[in-house]
Structures are given as C-alpha cells and as structure tokens.
Amino acid sequence: MEGTRPILAEVQVLATKSGFASPRRTANGIDYNRMSIIIAILEKHLGLIYSTLDVYLNVVGGFQLREPSGDLAVAMCLYSSLVDKPINPRLAAFGEIGLGGEIRSVSYMQQRLREAERLGFELCIVPKHSLESVDLSTFKMKVAGVATLKQAFSILSKTFTDKKESE
C-alpha cells in the first residue's frame, strides 16, 4: 500500500542446488531477514528443504515490499521454484505469515481485491480473517480465503500451469 492506494508487485524466486557448503541467499526488493524467516517457516511447518539450495528472490520493477502483506506471495514463489512448476500468471496472493504457519489478516482488503480484479487476475488467495469485512458479491474473480500455509499451497498446487504453456 502507498497510503490507501494498493500497488501490486510481481515476485520471482529461483531456488537451485548450491555448489557451495553454505547456500547463497539474495533478496532484491524485500528485507533479507524477512525472506529468511519465510524460508524457516516453510521448512519447519511444511517440511520443505531449502538448506542445500541457493535462493534468489526479486521483486520485479525495483519495487520494495515493506509491509508483511507480501509474505504469502513470497512463500508461494519459493514453493513454486522448489517443485519447479510455474504459478498461473492470473493468480494473486497477499497475506502476512505468522511464525506458526498461519496466514494473518491484512488491512485494506477491499481495495487490494478491487485492484487485483482491475488488473485482470482471476483468482486471489488471501487471509480468511480479512474477508469478514469484504462483500465478495461485488467481485467477478474467485477469492479463496485461507487460514494456513497448507491450505494456501493446496489451492496453489491445483492452479500450476504446464511449463510448456508458460514458455
């Protein structure tokens, strides 16, 4: 959010086998420590292994994600790179991730959803608790409310695109 205006940003992640004893981690556009925390949450609560992988994260266009609402998108990109399946380009996600793997509410949900729909997104994965104040009947896109990372990844895995389609 810039004031009360939502700005959507694209997040990219490359997780690849490390050639070093200590894997390399690079974060452009997001706090390095925040990325490290998200990786630790994915390892602890979902059993994913990043300890032998280099991880390169980039927020496209030079944007800076300074609020935790980008956590869910970052986690989904980390997972996508790990399983080597591209995320559907018409999927948006926002939500803060708690240390227990829960998806925490974010503010300005109505405005964020409106902007995502205006930009052509067809599915938006958001914190379930944030939907309490939103009238979903005003949106044509699908909105999925989730309470945990496991729920979010379950929805995400059903939307993966075929690599051949995305090339």
Side-chain angles (χ1 to χ4, degrees):
M1 297 295 291
E2 287 293 327
T4 57
R5 179 168 167 77
I7 308 286
L8 274 63
E10 180 181 348
V11 178
Q12 297 177 332
V13 171
L14 174 63
T16 187
K17 186 177 179 185
S18 181
F20 305 101
S22 182
R24 183 179 169 105
R25 305 271 195 252
T26 302
N28 291 318
I30 187 172
D31 180 62
Y32 174 86
N33 294 321
R34 190 75 193 160
M35 178 187 73
S36 296
I37 289 169
I38 294 169
I39 290 171
I41 292 167
L42 293 175
E43 289 186 328
K44 172 74 176 178
H45 296 289
L46 292 162
L48 305 176
I49 306 297
Y50 291 90
S51 59
T52 60
L53 302 176
D54 292 335
V55 176
Y56 303 94
L57 186 147
N58 183 47
V59 180
V60 177
F63 284 105
Q64 294 288 321
L65 296 182
R66 292 192 178 96
E67 63 173 322
S69 63
D71 289 359
L72 184 56
V74 168
M76 290 180 149
C77 289
L78 282 161
Y79 180 69
S80 166
S81 186
L82 184 70
V83 299
D84 200 24
K85 294 188 184 255
I87 294 175
N88 185 322
R90 294 288 163 219
L91 182 140
F94 26 87
E96 179 179 359
I97 299 174
L99 294 178
E102 74 277 8
I103 308 300
R104 303 175 57 87
S105 296
V106 295
S107 58
Y108 302 106
M109 184 56 66
Q110 187 86 21
Q111 293 92 323
R112 293 175 198 268
L113 290 171
R114 192 176 308 122
E115 182 69 4
E117 185 171 70
R118 187 184 75 75
L119 293 174
F121 289 94
E122 297 168 357
L123 171 63
C124 199
I125 301 174
V126 300
K128 186 177 186 176
H129 299 295
S130 293
L131 293 178
E132 295 168 359
S133 61
V134 175
D135 179 11
L136 291 177
S137 67
T138 62
F139 296 101
K140 294 178 183 172
M141 73 175 170
K142 295 177 185 170
V143 179
V146 295
T148 66
L149 275 172
K150 287 182 182 180
Q151 292 173 356
F153 286 4
S154 174
I155 294 168
L156 175 65
S157 64
K158 295 174 187 169
T159 66
F160 282 135
T161 60
D162 183 11
K163 266 194 163 189
K164 291 174 185 161
E165 287 177 27
S166 63
E167 292 178 351

